[in-house]
């Protein structure tokens, strides 16, 4: 069982930056691929970024490529999402998620989810 707790959301102006954190419970954090997803009002949850258990492989949605960076610190059981050059269309609830072994961009592949953290970007 893995429990995930996100933090770091908030209100920021367009062009600004935020760093989200996701703290995980458990002793086998490095065996889990981690993902960040987001859900805006009235829209389906969508993939943002994913990182492999060792941190050597990452993949991003086209909409955030070059602006967002996913990373992890396995010693701290934490995954991060650094968000730069934020746009109003990045406004959403951001969720971190965990799945065994391999990375994925698909919501249904992830077994564990955090409660989400709100990110609001004003124009």
């Amino acid at each position: 069982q893995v429990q995930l707790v996100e933090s770091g959301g908030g209100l920021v102006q367009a062009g600004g930056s935020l760093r989200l954190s996701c703290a995980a419970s458990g002793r086998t954090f490095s065996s889990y691929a981690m993902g960040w997803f987001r859900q805006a009002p009235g829209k389906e949850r969508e993939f943002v970024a994913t990182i492999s258990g060792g941190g050597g492989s990452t993949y991003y949605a086209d909409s955030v490529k070059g602006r967002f960076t996913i990373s992890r610190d396995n010693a701290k059981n934490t995954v991060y999402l650094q968000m730069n050059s934020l746009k109003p269309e990045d406004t959403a609830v951001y969720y971190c998620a965990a799945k065994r072994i391999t990375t994925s961009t698909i919501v249904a592949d992830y077994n564990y989810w955090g409660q989400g953290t709100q990110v609001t970007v004003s124009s």
Side-chain angles (χ1 to χ4, degrees), residues 5 13-14 18 24 31-32 36 39 50 57 59 61 65 75 80-81 83 96 104 108-109 112-114:
V5 179
Q13 289 188 332
L18 282 174
S31 68
Y32 287 85
W36 284 99
Q39 188 166 18
T50 184
S57 178
Y59 186 74
K65 201 172 295 182
Y80 304 97
L81 186 68
M83 305 185 295
C96 72
S104 174
D109 285 349
Y112 304 101
W113 292 84

Side-chain angles (χ1 to χ4, degrees), residues 12-120:
V12 64
Q13 289 188 332
S17 298
L18 282 174
R19 188 176 82 154
L20 305 183
S21 299
C22 174
S25 65
R27 295 175 289 178
T28 59
F29 181 65
S30 62
S31 68
Y32 287 85
M34 301 297 295
W36 284 99
F37 293 78
R38 66 187 182 186
Q39 188 166 18
K43 294 188 177 181
E44 292 188 353
R45 194 167 298 189
E46 66 174 6
F47 167 75
V48 174
T50 184
I51 188 167
S52 59
S57 178
T58 59
Y59 186 74
Y60 298 90
D62 287 343
S63 58
V64 307
K65 201 172 295 182
R67 299 188 298 122
F68 291 10
T69 302
I70 189 171
S71 62
R72 66 191 296 162
D73 184 338
N74 285 345
K76 296 182 179 179
N77 279 18
T78 301
V79 63
Y80 304 97
L81 186 68
Q82 177 67 44
M83 305 185 295
N84 299 328
S85 302
L86 282 161
K87 305 175 181 180
E89 51 263 44
D90 294 319
T91 295
V93 177
Y94 282 71
Y95 299 89
C96 72
K99 66 178 298 293
R100 292 283 290 174
I101 311 302
T102 57
T103 58
S104 174
T105 65
I106 301 172
V107 170
D109 285 349
Y110 286 79
N111 306 107
Y112 304 101
W113 292 84
Q115 82 289 351
T117 186
Q118 177 71 47
V119 171
T120 302

